[in-house]
Structure formats: structure tokens, C-alpha cells
């Protein structure tokens, strides 16, 4: 019988290994904070090269689920695989045991995450922010890391900002640096947690354009967003969450244009 992370039976009958073409596979994922149950059994699959957009009202569990994918939040029950491996746990004798911090950190190397609040190191230059993880975590040489950083800055349109500090950049520029920093680790999966919500409206487009380029290049992405135009144009799939559950999912054009669930229709009527 399958078990939750505490070793208790959850009865879900979960498979041992998800399909090879899946980058993310969530099966019966629950997350509670004390008595507050935020995720109530999430089942999702993200295929390699897919862009999945996750939408829903505040408090629906979107960001919590995203943080569970890279084990920034520990799930309470269910299982979550990334790139074919159980995220944050190992299984032995039908029970799940949490991995050590170093093992979890090794798993995270393949996952890039971009937050809504940029999270750049204010005391480091743009270059310093980008090369920190490759040098410290992957043990790349500084010369190699700098060369990669310059390529990435060119890619996000900030080649002239390598020696600038975050305080000297606009919000849109800081977010593009944050994307470059995540890409510096050469991730196989990118997670975006409302990457444009903290930006002035006129700066949103420059960040979305970088994300569109990543999608065109085949990067697997899970994007929590309020940008419905981006979801319609770029997304391969769209998931609407509310109350800690997946209410509706499918092709973004279909879900946005002809939602089947009344709760989805009510939400979209306020945001479209």
C-alpha cells in the first residue's frame, strides 16, 4: 500500500514510476499548515517541453503547489515526482522517508524558480548574482560562469547591465536578471510564481517576452500567473485551482473561451 510522507497509508494506489515523458507528476498531493489544509489532493502531469499555466484566486493553493514541486514546502500526503524521481523523499519497504538537505539540494539543481519579488542579492552586482550558484553549487570556474552569464544577459536584453547593482535597475530589469540567474544552473524545469505581479504594467511585457522565448526553445515551464493573454498564447495547458483543488484543466483556448465549470466561469468573468 502506498504511504504519505509520514509513512501512513493514503490508499491512493500510486504508481512507482511515472512515464518517461513526464517532467512533473503529482499524485494525491496534500499540504497542510497546522489545521489549515491548503492542498486537498492535487493530481497533475506536466510533460517535457510543456508550458503549464496555473490560474485561480488568491488563497487557492497555486503558489503552495509550485513550492511543493521543488520541496520548498514539504507535502503532507501523496507523491510528487520531478524528472522521474520522487522529490524530497526516498521509498523503502512501502514507506517514504525524507531525504537529507544535501540530497534535496542536489535535486533542486535541475529546477529553476523565479519569484514575484525578484530575490536578488542587493550587495552583489548583476554578474555576481548570476554566477554565485554555478560557482558555489556546481563548482564551475569563475571564467566559465562569467561567460555563461554574459550569454544569458544578452539573451534577456541586459548585456550592458553586468556590473550594475539591483537598486540601479527597474523592476522589469531585475526580474529578467532573476530569470537569467535561474537559467545559469541549466535547469530542465522552470517554475514561475506570478513573475509579473510586482511590476508596473508597462514593464510586464519585457518579462513575458523572455518567457515566450524560453517556451519557443522547448523549456518545460509551470507558470502561476494572472496574465491570461500569456496563458492563451503560450500555454500548452491551463489549470484552474480554487480551494486547494484542481477545478478544471485543459487547452488554454478552450478553458478560457468556453469553461465547463461554474466556478471557472465566475472567476474568468472577473479577470477577462
Amino acid at each position: 500500500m502506498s504511504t504519505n510522507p509520514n509513512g501512513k497509508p493514503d490508499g491512493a494506489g500510486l504508481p512507482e514510476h511515472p512515464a518517461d515523458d513526464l517532467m512533473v507528476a503529482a499524485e494525491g498531493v496534500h499540504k497542510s499548515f497546522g489545521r489549515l489544509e491548503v492542498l486537498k489532493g492535487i493530481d497533475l502531469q506536466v510533460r517535457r517541453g510543456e508550458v503549464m499555466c496555473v490560474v485561480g484566486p488568491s488563497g487557492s493553493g497555486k503558489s503552495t503547489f509550485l513550492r511543493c514541486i521543488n520541496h520548498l514546502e514539504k507535502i503532507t500526503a501523496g507523491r510528487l515526482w520531478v524528472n522521474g524521481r520522487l522529490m524530497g523523499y526516498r521509498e523503502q519497504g512501502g514507506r517514504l522517508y525524507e531525504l537529507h538537505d544535501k540530497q534535496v539540494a542536489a535535486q533542486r539543481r535541475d529546477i529553476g524558480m523565479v519569484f514575484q519579488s525578484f530575490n536578488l542579492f542587493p550587495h552583489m552586482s548583476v554578474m555576481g548574482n548570476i554566477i554565485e550558484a554555478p560557482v558555489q553549487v556546481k563548482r564551475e570556474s569563475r571564467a566559465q560562469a562569467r561567460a555563461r552569464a554574459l550569454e544569458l544577459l544578452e539573451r534577456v536584453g541586459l548585456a550592458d547591465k553586468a556590473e550594475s547593482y539591483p537598486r540601479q535597475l527597474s523592476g522589469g530589469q531585475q526580474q529578467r536578471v532573476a530569470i537569467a540567474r535561474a537559467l545559469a544552473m541549466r535547469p530542465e524545469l522552470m517554475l514561475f510564481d506570478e513573475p509579473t505581479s510586482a511590476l508596473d504594467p508597462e514593464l510586464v511585457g519585457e518579462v513575458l517576452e523572455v518567457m515566450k522565448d524560453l517556451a519557443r526553445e522547448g523549456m518545460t515551464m509551470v507558470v502561476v500567473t494572472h496574465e491570461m493573454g500569456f496563458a492563451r498564447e503560450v500555454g500548452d495547458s491551463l489549470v484552474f485551482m480554487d480551494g486547494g483543488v484542481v477545478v478544471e484543466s485543459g487547452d488554454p483556448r478552450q478553458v478560457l473561451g468556453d469553461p465547463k465549470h461554474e466556478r471557472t466561469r465566475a472567476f474568468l468573468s472577473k479577470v477577462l
Side-chain angles (χ1 to χ4, degrees), residues 247-259:
V247 176
E248 187 166 347
S249 63
D251 180 273
R253 276 64 61 182
Q254 184 275 314
V255 175
L256 294 175
D258 184 24

Side-chain angles (χ1 to χ4, degrees), residues 14-200:
L14 304 173
E16 296 246 339
H17 301 287
D20 290 340
D21 64 339
L22 296 181
M23 179 61 73
V24 179
E27 300 272 3
V29 169
H30 290 250
K31 173 62 182 179
S32 296
F33 296 95
R35 295 183 178 180
L36 177 63
E37 190 176 22
V38 178
L39 300 178
K40 303 175 182 178
I42 302 296
D43 297 302
L44 282 180
Q45 294 182 343
V46 183
R47 303 195 177 277
R48 297 181 189 278
E50 177 180 347
V51 177
M52 174 179 284
C53 294
V54 184
V55 304
S58 296
S60 60
K62 309 182 302 296
S63 294
T64 297
F65 176 69
L66 202 70
R67 292 169 66 86
C68 287
I69 292 177
N70 64 359
H71 206 62
L72 287 177
E73 296 289 356
K74 302 173 185 179
I75 64 176
T76 309
R79 296 185 186 183
L80 210 163
W81 291 270
V82 176
N83 206 11
R85 297 176 297 179
L86 274 174
M87 189 65 202
Y89 299 93
R90 62 180 176 84
E91 183 173 7
Q92 184 174 342
R95 297 170 67 89
L96 297 183
Y97 300 89
E98 189 170 3
L99 298 177
H100 297 300
D101 289 346
K102 285 186 177 180
Q103 294 171 303
V104 175
Q107 288 186 318
R108 288 197 188 115
R109 292 178 189 176
D110 293 333
I111 307 172
M113 186 159 185
V114 177
F115 302 87
Q116 53 185 300
S117 56
F118 320 142
N119 288 2
L120 299 177
F121 299 118
H123 63 288
M124 290 185 178
S125 67
V126 166
M127 177 62 68
N129 268 277
I130 296 174
I131 70 173
E132 177 73 5
V135 170
Q136 298 298 326
V137 178
K138 284 198 165 183
R139 303 301 181 188
E140 291 184 10
S141 70
R142 295 186 71 83
Q144 182 182 4
R146 281 186 64 88
R148 169 74 170 159
L150 289 172
E151 291 176 6
L152 291 169
L153 286 173
E154 181 76 33
R155 181 173 176 178
V156 301
L158 293 172
D160 59 335
K161 301 295 184 181
E163 302 310 321
S164 298
Y165 283 80
R167 65 180 179 275
Q168 299 171 310
L169 305 178
S170 70
Q173 289 172 330
Q174 290 187 60
Q175 194 61 296
R176 284 185 281 158
V177 171
I179 294 173
R181 180 177 64 177
L183 293 174
M185 291 292 285
R186 305 179 190 274
E188 296 190 48
L189 169 67
M190 285 287 286
L191 308 176
F192 292 88
D193 188 7
E194 299 188 20
T196 60
S197 64
L199 301 179
D200 293 333

